[in-house]
Amino acid sequence: MSTFRYVIIGNSAAGLNAATEIRKTDRTSEIVMLSAEDCMAYSPVVLPYLISQKVTEAGMHITTPEYYKNNQIDLRLSTRAEWIDTARQEVHINDLHAGGRPTRLAYDRLLIATGASARKLRLDPEMLSKVDDKIFSLRTMADGKSILAASQGITDALIMGAGLVGLETAYALQKKGVNVTIIAKSQQILSRNSDAGCARMIQDRIEEKGVRFLFGRDVAEFHREKDRVRVLTDTNENFLVDMVVVGKGVDANLDLINETDIKAEWGIKVNMSMQTSVPDVYAAGDVAQSRHLLTGGTDTFSNWPSACFEGKIAGRNMVGRGQKLAGEVSYNVMPVFDCTAAFLERRDDGDDETEVFLHKDDRKGVYRKILVKKNRIVGAVMLGAFQDAGVALYLLKKRKDVSHLKKHMAASRALWGDVIKRF
């Protein structure tokens, strides 16, 4: 029986990829995976499809019990990691199946892949307590099921935040016949992902569906009126809704490292091996603050591809294979209402050294902007014709010289065949 134990906190992209990499090298040691949720792994980006009932709960799962069995992973669902005792190399856990019974789990190597949670509202707690059954976030399967149940037969909904999560939730509710209002402190949708030009094109499409936008403002107060919520904004709008969905960003789940010597800022700080400041403790995914490829600084990268790759790097280093992460970039390919957009790193026009190549076709709903600095891609915004976003990402991450491609990439897609011929 193995005496070496890997413990992975988190059952999603980073944790799953780490476990798979560990098993490629180490077939005998014990792997214990802890998940506070009570279901198989799934991708959070698909949760709006659960609300619109485009997919069922079972259809969202990306793993089966056989995966854990075949890889000899001891999956413990409904088991919350509460704290890490790095001196004793133990995780304090709360087994929700056993009525919240606290216990401890020893580890030899530990991966923290706890992800992030929806940012909480900064409003009067007493006021919020009176409407808390009408306010939702969308980050977990439980969140999605709650919104699905609460949205049955309602008339009006408010979405707080005009980011990807807010827009996709709005689309799911609008498809169900709900009147949707989106409120945002920014002056455009997708302010963290898109430039103003592309955002305007997407907004126009959304408004055609009947969605109302309130930019440059925020909610000041909520008041209960029978089974509805009266919303008062800081610019004196006043209206009633049946439910509120908060999509104002996320914060890394850092509670379990409180009062430990694991260093963190807005995420857990890791080196290029995904190792934290404590030996034998690693972090990956949305919770990790890792190296930024372009700036050399650090950031959190809340996207599925980054979580998968960071998990692989962490897993390989946990078994001593020694691979390092060169750096990550911000990258998202997402459906936004009835179109798909890709956002890669920078979306503004940059500095004087940045070349901007723009192609726009309003009739076809196409917007493509490629940003190049010193003949290297540093960012891209693609709407409609997005299929070569992966090629752009490859060229950016490999820091390839695109002097021969840069004038053509905005107006026409760069396909893998073209790239392979030249590199």
Side-chain angles (χ1 to χ4, degrees):
M1 190 174 192
S2 172
T3 58
F4 196 89
R5 178 184 287 159
Y6 301 95
V7 173
I8 298 173
I9 307 173
N11 177 33
S12 194
L16 292 171
N17 278 275
T20 300
E21 290 301 315
I22 290 170
R23 273 293 174 252
K24 287 179 181 178
T25 299
D26 187 341
R27 297 297 304 176
T28 59
S29 292
E30 185 180 4
I31 299 177
V32 180
M33 182 174 285
L34 309 177
S35 174
E37 297 193 66
D38 62 354
C39 60
M40 292 290 105
Y42 60 91
S43 172
V45 300
V46 188
L47 286 169
Y49 296 152
L50 179 67
I51 298 169
S52 64
Q53 298 182 282
K54 186 175 180 179
V55 298
T56 64
E57 180 181 350
M60 291 184 59
H61 295 154
I62 58 174
T63 56
T64 64
E66 286 70 32
Y67 163 80
Y68 303 94
K69 180 180 179 181
N70 293 340
N71 286 282
Q72 298 173 277
I73 298 170
D74 178 6
L75 174 64
R76 303 185 188 183
L77 299 175
S78 299
T79 304
R80 187 184 304 279
E82 302 284 1
W83 186 66
I84 300 167
D85 186 338
T86 57
R88 293 178 177 270
Q89 294 200 188
E90 293 178 337
V91 181
H92 291 222
I93 61 177
N94 193 324
D95 186 345
L96 304 180
H97 277 311
R101 184 185 66 202
T103 187
R104 299 181 185 188
L105 178 68
Y107 66 85
D108 293 289
R109 299 225 169 92
L110 173 68
L111 174 65
I112 304 170
T114 49
S117 295
R119 192 164 293 153
K120 298 185 185 302
L121 290 176
R122 296 179 179 178
L123 292 171
D124 178 49
E126 184 178 350
M127 178 185 67
L128 290 175
S129 68
K130 296 176 181 178
V131 293
D132 61 356
D133 62 322
K134 297 293 183 179
I135 299 180
F136 304 85
S137 58
L138 184 59
R139 190 67 188 177
T140 68
M141 184 75 80
D143 293 336
K145 291 162 69 174
S146 295
I147 294 173
L148 174 61
S151 64
Q152 303 303 314
I154 69 168
T155 303
D156 302 281
L158 173 68
I159 308 294
M160 296 181 66
L164 290 168
V165 172
L167 295 182
E168 277 302 287
T169 307
Y171 186 43
L173 294 173
Q174 185 268 332
K175 294 277 284 185
K176 294 163 69 73
V178 178
N179 300 317
V180 178
T181 297
I182 298 176
I183 189 170
K185 294 189 72 173
S186 63
Q187 297 297 330
Q188 67 169 69
I189 65 172
L190 301 169
S191 60
R192 296 183 181 181
N193 303 96
S194 177
D195 69 342
C198 181
R200 182 71 248 185
M201 286 184 69
I202 298 172
Q203 182 185 332
D204 289 344
R205 292 189 182 193
I206 296 173
E207 288 178 328
E208 288 175 0
K209 304 288 186 181
V211 173
R212 177 175 68 145
F213 287 95
L214 299 174
F215 290 115
R217 64 204 78 183
D218 206 348
V219 171
E221 297 179 23
F222 290 122
H223 296 284
R224 188 76 177 231
E225 290 195 11
K226 295 183 179 179
D227 202 36
R228 307 193 82 193
V229 177
R230 181 163 298 281
V231 181
L232 304 178
T233 75
D234 55 10
T235 51
N236 298 319
E237 284 91 359
N238 183 329
F239 52 93
L240 284 167
V241 297
D242 301 291
M243 68 183 305
V244 178
V245 181
V246 181
K248 296 172 71 68
V250 299
D251 292 313
N253 292 324
L254 301 175
D255 288 350
L256 82 167
I257 67 164
N258 287 341
E259 299 181 18
T260 72
D261 42 0
I262 299 172
K263 293 182 179 179
E265 289 180 309
W266 50 90
I268 297 175
K269 299 178 75 171
V270 295
N271 62 19
M272 295 172 72
S273 299
M274 306 309 296
Q275 189 174 45
T276 71
S277 56
V278 175
D280 297 323
V281 179
Y282 297 75
D286 293 1
V287 75
Q289 185 177 328
S290 58
R291 185 178 186 272
H292 194 292
L293 179 66
L294 300 186
T295 69
T298 59
D299 207 344
T300 51
F301 299 92
S302 298
N303 61 75
W304 189 266
S306 290
C308 292
F309 191 57
E310 290 181 4
K312 288 180 181 180
I313 298 296
R316 291 168 186 170
N317 282 284
M318 290 169 77
V319 293
R321 286 166 61 187
Q323 184 174 353
K324 292 187 177 182
L325 178 77
E328 277 298 306
V329 295
S330 174
Y331 175 67
N332 274 295
V333 178
M334 289 286 290
V336 184
F337 272 66
D338 58 353
C339 56
T340 300
F343 307 108
L344 171 57
E345 264 305 310
R346 298 190 65 154
R347 67 261 188 205
D348 57 30
D349 289 348
D351 55 25
D352 292 340
E353 293 185 308
T354 304
E355 297 178 90
V356 180
F357 300 94
L358 176 65
H359 172 73
K360 182 180 178 184
D361 189 326
D362 290 306
R363 185 177 60 85
K364 293 182 179 180
V366 171
Y367 185 99
R368 289 171 59 87
K369 182 162 80 170
I370 309 295
L371 302 173
V372 177
K373 186 171 182 177
K374 297 180 180 178
N375 289 324
R376 268 84 177 168
I377 293 177
V378 292
V381 176
M382 300 178 178
L383 173 66
F386 68 95
Q387 291 83 352
D388 58 335
V391 179
L393 177 64
Y394 167 80
L395 294 171
L396 184 152
K397 295 187 79 168
K398 295 297 183 180
R399 312 308 298 131
K400 296 292 187 179
D401 186 320
V402 295
S403 54
H404 53 290
L405 292 173
K406 63 184 181 181
K407 293 181 179 179
H408 310 290
M409 284 194 71
S412 61
R413 288 179 292 173
L415 302 179
W416 274 114
D418 299 327
V419 172
I420 290 171
K421 289 177 185 176
R422 294 178 179 271
F423 296 105

mmCIF file with all atom_site columns, all heavy atoms in Angstrom, residues 43-54:
data_model
loop_
_atom_site.group_PDB
_atom_site.id
_atom_site.type_symbol
_atom_site.label_atom_id
_atom_site.label_alt_id
_atom_site.label_comp_id
_atom_site.label_asym_id
_atom_site.label_entity_id
_atom_site.label_seq_id
_atom_site.pdbx_PDB_ins_code
_atom_site.Cartn_x
_atom_site.Cartn_y
_atom_site.Cartn_z
_atom_site.occupancy
_atom_site.B_iso_or_equiv
_atom_site.pdbx_formal_charge
_atom_site.auth_seq_id
_atom_site.auth_comp_id
_atom_site.auth_asym_id
_atom_site.auth_atom_id
_atom_site.pdbx_PDB_model_num
ATOM 1  N N   . SER A 1 43 ? -17.777 22.485 -16.506 1.00 0.00 ? 43 SER A N   1
ATOM 2  C CA  . SER A 1 43 ? -17.196 23.781 -16.847 1.00 0.00 ? 43 SER A CA  1
ATOM 3  C C   . SER A 1 43 ? -18.169 24.892 -16.468 1.00 0.00 ? 43 SER A C   1
ATOM 4  O O   . SER A 1 43 ? -19.302 24.913 -16.955 1.00 0.00 ? 43 SER A O   1
ATOM 5  C CB  . SER A 1 43 ? -16.902 23.863 -18.355 1.00 0.00 ? 43 SER A CB  1
ATOM 6  O OG  . SER A 1 43 ? -16.514 25.176 -18.707 1.00 0.00 ? 43 SER A OG  1
ATOM 7  N N   . PRO A 1 44 ? -17.748 25.841 -15.627 1.00 0.00 ? 44 PRO A N   1
ATOM 8  C CA  . PRO A 1 44 ? -18.658 26.926 -15.225 1.00 0.00 ? 44 PRO A CA  1
ATOM 9  C C   . PRO A 1 44 ? -19.153 27.771 -16.386 1.00 0.00 ? 44 PRO A C   1
ATOM 10 O O   . PRO A 1 44 ? -20.227 28.367 -16.292 1.00 0.00 ? 44 PRO A O   1
ATOM 11 C CB  . PRO A 1 44 ? -17.797 27.762 -14.268 1.00 0.00 ? 44 PRO A CB  1
ATOM 12 C CG  . PRO A 1 44 ? -16.767 26.825 -13.755 1.00 0.00 ? 44 PRO A CG  1
ATOM 13 C CD  . PRO A 1 44 ? -16.474 25.907 -14.899 1.00 0.00 ? 44 PRO A CD  1
ATOM 14 N N   . VAL A 1 45 ? -18.399 27.838 -17.486 1.00 0.00 ? 45 VAL A N   1
ATOM 15 C CA  . VAL A 1 45 ? -18.831 28.682 -18.604 1.00 0.00 ? 45 VAL A CA  1
ATOM 16 C C   . VAL A 1 45 ? -20.097 28.152 -19.265 1.00 0.00 ? 45 VAL A C   1
ATOM 17 O O   . VAL A 1 45 ? -20.772 28.881 -20.005 1.00 0.00 ? 45 VAL A O   1
ATOM 18 C CB  . VAL A 1 45 ? -17.715 28.827 -19.663 1.00 0.00 ? 45 VAL A CB  1
ATOM 19 C CG1 . VAL A 1 45 ? -16.481 29.463 -19.065 1.00 0.00 ? 45 VAL A CG1 1
ATOM 20 C CG2 . VAL A 1 45 ? -17.376 27.495 -20.304 1.00 0.00 ? 45 VAL A CG2 1
ATOM 21 N N   . VAL A 1 46 ? -20.452 26.900 -18.988 1.00 0.00 ? 46 VAL A N   1
ATOM 22 C CA  . VAL A 1 46 ? -21.647 26.304 -19.595 1.00 0.00 ? 46 VAL A CA  1
ATOM 23 C C   . VAL A 1 46 ? -22.890 26.526 -18.724 1.00 0.00 ? 46 VAL A C   1
ATOM 24 O O   . VAL A 1 46 ? -23.999 26.213 -19.134 1.00 0.00 ? 46 VAL A O   1
ATOM 25 C CB  . VAL A 1 46 ? -21.411 24.792 -19.842 1.00 0.00 ? 46 VAL A CB  1
ATOM 26 C CG1 . VAL A 1 46 ? -22.543 24.171 -20.657 1.00 0.00 ? 46 VAL A CG1 1
ATOM 27 C CG2 . VAL A 1 46 ? -20.102 24.569 -20.585 1.00 0.00 ? 46 VAL A CG2 1
ATOM 28 N N   . LEU A 1 47 ? -22.718 27.090 -17.542 1.00 0.00 ? 47 LEU A N   1
ATOM 29 C CA  . LEU A 1 47 ? -23.852 27.246 -16.628 1.00 0.00 ? 47 LEU A CA  1
ATOM 30 C C   . LEU A 1 47 ? -25.030 28.024 -17.223 1.00 0.00 ? 47 LEU A C   1
ATOM 31 O O   . LEU A 1 47 ? -26.187 27.682 -16.945 1.00 0.00 ? 47 LEU A O   1
ATOM 32 C CB  . LEU A 1 47 ? -23.385 27.903 -15.326 1.00 0.00 ? 47 LEU A CB  1
ATOM 33 C CG  . LEU A 1 47 ? -22.567 26.994 -14.397 1.00 0.00 ? 47 LEU A CG  1
ATOM 34 C CD1 . LEU A 1 47 ? -21.937 27.800 -13.273 1.00 0.00 ? 47 LEU A CD1 1
ATOM 35 C CD2 . LEU A 1 47 ? -23.435 25.878 -13.836 1.00 0.00 ? 47 LEU A CD2 1
ATOM 36 N N   . PRO A 1 48 ? -24.810 29.074 -18.038 1.00 0.00 ? 48 PRO A N   1
ATOM 37 C CA  . PRO A 1 48 ? -25.975 29.730 -18.648 1.00 0.00 ? 48 PRO A CA  1
ATOM 38 C C   . PRO A 1 48 ? -26.831 28.796 -19.485 1.00 0.00 ? 48 PRO A C   1
ATOM 39 O O   . PRO A 1 48 ? -28.046 28.988 -19.594 1.00 0.00 ? 48 PRO A O   1
ATOM 40 C CB  . PRO A 1 48 ? -25.344 30.834 -19.508 1.00 0.00 ? 48 PRO A CB  1
ATOM 41 C CG  . PRO A 1 48 ? -24.068 31.162 -18.804 1.00 0.00 ? 48 PRO A CG  1
ATOM 42 C CD  . PRO A 1 48 ? -23.568 29.825 -18.301 1.00 0.00 ? 48 PRO A CD  1
ATOM 43 N N   . TYR A 1 49 ? -26.213 27.763 -20.071 1.00 0.00 ? 49 TYR A N   1
ATOM 44 C CA  . TYR A 1 49 ? -26.985 26.796 -20.852 1.00 0.00 ? 49 TYR A CA  1
ATOM 45 C C   . TYR A 1 49 ? -27.902 25.964 -19.972 1.00 0.00 ? 49 TYR A C   1
ATOM 46 O O   . TYR A 1 49 ? -28.942 25.466 -20.420 1.00 0.00 ? 49 TYR A O   1
ATOM 47 C CB  . TYR A 1 49 ? -26.056 25.870 -21.640 1.00 0.00 ? 49 TYR A CB  1
ATOM 48 C CG  . TYR A 1 49 ? -25.219 26.565 -22.690 1.00 0.00 ? 49 TYR A CG  1
ATOM 49 C CD1 . TYR A 1 49 ? -23.984 26.048 -23.061 1.00 0.00 ? 49 TYR A CD1 1
ATOM 50 C CD2 . TYR A 1 49 ? -25.649 27.737 -23.301 1.00 0.00 ? 49 TYR A CD2 1
ATOM 51 C CE1 . TYR A 1 49 ? -23.206 26.680 -24.024 1.00 0.00 ? 49 TYR A CE1 1
ATOM 52 C CE2 . TYR A 1 49 ? -24.879 28.376 -24.259 1.00 0.00 ? 49 TYR A CE2 1
ATOM 53 C CZ  . TYR A 1 49 ? -23.659 27.843 -24.623 1.00 0.00 ? 49 TYR A CZ  1
ATOM 54 O OH  . TYR A 1 49 ? -22.896 28.462 -25.569 1.00 0.00 ? 49 TYR A OH  1
ATOM 55 N N   . LEU A 1 50 ? -27.514 25.783 -18.713 1.00 0.00 ? 50 LEU A N   1
ATOM 56 C CA  . LEU A 1 50 ? -28.389 25.096 -17.767 1.00 0.00 ? 50 LEU A CA  1
ATOM 57 C C   . LEU A 1 50 ? -29.626 25.946 -17.493 1.00 0.00 ? 50 LEU A C   1
ATOM 58 O O   . LEU A 1 50 ? -30.746 25.436 -17.409 1.00 0.00 ? 50 LEU A O   1
ATOM 59 C CB  . LEU A 1 50 ? -27.636 24.813 -16.471 1.00 0.00 ? 50 LEU A CB  1
ATOM 60 C CG  . LEU A 1 50 ? -28.416 24.113 -15.357 1.00 0.00 ? 50 LEU A CG  1
ATOM 61 C CD1 . LEU A 1 50 ? -28.774 22.691 -15.771 1.00 0.00 ? 50 LEU A CD1 1
ATOM 62 C CD2 . LEU A 1 50 ? -27.611 24.091 -14.062 1.00 0.00 ? 50 LEU A CD2 1
ATOM 63 N N   . ILE A 1 51 ? -29.428 27.262 -17.364 1.00 0.00 ? 51 ILE A N   1
ATOM 64 C CA  . ILE A 1 51 ? -30.550 28.167 -17.093 1.00 0.00 ? 51 ILE A CA  1
ATOM 65 C C   . ILE A 1 51 ? -31.516 28.213 -18.272 1.00 0.00 ? 51 ILE A C   1
ATOM 66 O O   . ILE A 1 51 ? -32.738 28.197 -18.095 1.00 0.00 ? 51 ILE A O   1
ATOM 67 C CB  . ILE A 1 51 ? -30.024 29.584 -16.777 1.00 0.00 ? 51 ILE A CB  1
ATOM 68 C CG1 . ILE A 1 51 ? -29.150 29.544 -15.517 1.00 0.00 ? 51 ILE A CG1 1
ATOM 69 C CG2 . ILE A 1 51 ? -31.177 30.566 -16.584 1.00 0.00 ? 51 ILE A CG2 1
ATOM 70 C CD1 . ILE A 1 51 ? -28.383 30.826 -15.271 1.00 0.00 ? 51 ILE A CD1 1
ATOM 71 N N   . SER A 1 52 ? -30.973 28.259 -19.490 1.00 0.00 ? 52 SER A N   1
ATOM 72 C CA  . SER A 1 52 ? -31.837 28.286 -20.672 1.00 0.00 ? 52 SER A CA  1
ATOM 73 C C   . SER A 1 52 ? -32.373 26.907 -21.018 1.00 0.00 ? 52 SER A C   1
ATOM 74 O O   . SER A 1 52 ? -33.206 26.769 -21.909 1.00 0.00 ? 52 SER A O   1
ATOM 75 C CB  . SER A 1 52 ? -31.068 28.837 -21.872 1.00 0.00 ? 52 SER A CB  1
ATOM 76 O OG  . SER A 1 52 ? -29.991 27.974 -22.226 1.00 0.00 ? 52 SER A OG  1
ATOM 77 N N   . GLN A 1 53 ? -31.869 25.882 -20.317 1.00 0.00 ? 53 GLN A N   1
ATOM 78 C CA  . GLN A 1 53 ? -32.243 24.483 -20.512 1.00 0.00 ? 53 GLN A CA  1
ATOM 79 C C   . GLN A 1 53 ? -31.822 23.944 -21.872 1.00 0.00 ? 53 GLN A C   1
ATOM 80 O O   . GLN A 1 53 ? -32.403 23.003 -22.399 1.00 0.00 ? 53 GLN A O   1
ATOM 81 C CB  . GLN A 1 53 ? -33.749 24.291 -20.268 1.00 0.00 ? 53 GLN A CB  1
ATOM 82 C CG  . GLN A 1 53 ? -34.143 24.637 -18.827 1.00 0.00 ? 53 GLN A CG  1
ATOM 83 C CD  . GLN A 1 53 ? -35.609 24.405 -18.537 1.00 0.00 ? 53 GLN A CD  1
ATOM 84 O OE1 . GLN A 1 53 ? -36.459 25.198 -18.907 1.00 0.00 ? 53 GLN A OE1 1
ATOM 85 N NE2 . GLN A 1 53 ? -35.900 23.297 -17.870 1.00 0.00 ? 53 GLN A NE2 1
ATOM 86 N N   . LYS A 1 54 ? -30.755 24.566 -22.397 1.00 0.00 ? 54 LYS A N   1
ATOM 87 C CA  . LYS A 1 54 ? -30.145 24.047 -23.615 1.00 0.00 ? 54 LYS A CA  1
ATOM 88 C C   . LYS A 1 54 ? -29.418 22.745 -23.322 1.00 0.00 ? 54 LYS A C   1
ATOM 89 O O   . LYS A 1 54 ? -29.296 21.872 -24.193 1.00 0.00 ? 54 LYS A O   1
ATOM 90 C CB  . LYS A 1 54 ? -29.179 25.086 -24.191 1.00 0.00 ? 54 LYS A CB  1
ATOM 91 C CG  . LYS A 1 54 ? -28.593 24.738 -25.530 1.00 0.00 ? 54 LYS A CG  1
ATOM 92 C CD  . LYS A 1 54 ? -27.739 25.873 -26.072 1.00 0.00 ? 54 LYS A CD  1
ATOM 93 C CE  . LYS A 1 54 ? -27.147 25.535 -27.428 1.00 0.00 ? 54 LYS A CE  1
ATOM 94 N NZ  . LYS A 1 54 ? -26.340 26.662 -27.971 1.00 0.00 ? 54 LYS A NZ  1
#
